[in-house]
Structures are given as C-alpha cells and as structure tokens.
Amino acid sequence: MFRDLGYPKYIGKDLDIVSMLGDNQGALALTKNPYLYKRSKHINVCYYYIWDLAKRGKLDVLYIPTIDMAADGMTKPLSRVAFERFKEQIGLVCDP
C-alpha cells in the first residue's frame, strides 16, 4: 500500500521485502518459530501467515523499543510528552 501511495521509504530498503517493526518480543520470537512455545497452540491459524511470509523472505520483522513505536499514537491514549514525541515521529508540524 505504501509503495502504491508513493511512500516506499516506509517499506524498507528492499521493495520486495516489507519491514515490520514490533515491540512485543514474544510475538517476534513466534514469527521466527511458531512452535516455540507449548502454550502458543491457541493462536489462530491466520497468524501463521505472518510466520510463513517471514520464512519465505517476504517479511522482515524487527524489534523496536516501545518508546519509539509511532503506531502507539494511533492505538493508545498518550500523555502530553508521548503525544509530542508521536507528532515528531510521524513528521506532523503545527504552526503556532
């Protein structure tokens, strides 16, 4: 979608591989090995699609610290400081 909208820089260096950032280390570990934990058997089959994409080299899943996760600004209520950081992360500039 980003490639079609003219924003390939958000995809990653290789346009054939999508880079996905995550802050949940357990979920990231499951993308490398879905059978890693006995207790992961309850995970819906559709989530194995992510693992399959990573296995085939179409998806690169990388860790990013929670404080640097720009997506949190779209999904969580933020404190003023976190909101200011979010605006900076997405390049939002407001004129006074």
Side-chain angles (χ1 to χ4, degrees):
M1 182 170 82
F2 283 122
R3 181 178 30 243
D4 293 341
L5 292 172
Y7 294 100
K9 68 179 182 177
Y10 294 111
I11 297 172
K13 294 178 182 163
D14 185 344
L15 296 181
D16 293 328
I17 300 172
V18 174
S19 294
M20 188 168 81
L21 304 175
D23 60 355
N24 183 321
Q25 292 185 7
L28 296 176
L30 284 173
T31 64
K32 294 175 179 34
N33 182 0
Y35 305 105
L36 190 60
Y37 305 108
K38 282 182 170 182
R39 297 171 63 180
S40 68
K41 68 181 181 177
H42 69 283
I43 295 175
N44 194 327
V45 174
C46 69
Y47 295 106
Y48 283 92
Y49 179 67
I50 299 294
W51 171 77
D52 184 53
L53 289 174
K55 180 180 160 190
R56 291 189 292 138
K58 299 287 183 184
L59 176 68
D60 189 20
V61 183
L62 306 167
Y63 173 75
I64 183 171
T66 302
I67 196 164
D68 296 329
M69 180 62 72
D72 283 354
M74 300 289 191
T75 61
K76 299 176 183 174
L78 301 175
S79 67
R80 177 176 291 280
V81 172
F83 183 67
E84 294 299 325
R85 184 180 326 109
F86 167 68
K87 290 192 313 185
E88 187 176 308
Q89 288 170 331
I90 64 171
L92 182 64
V93 178
C94 297
D95 293 327

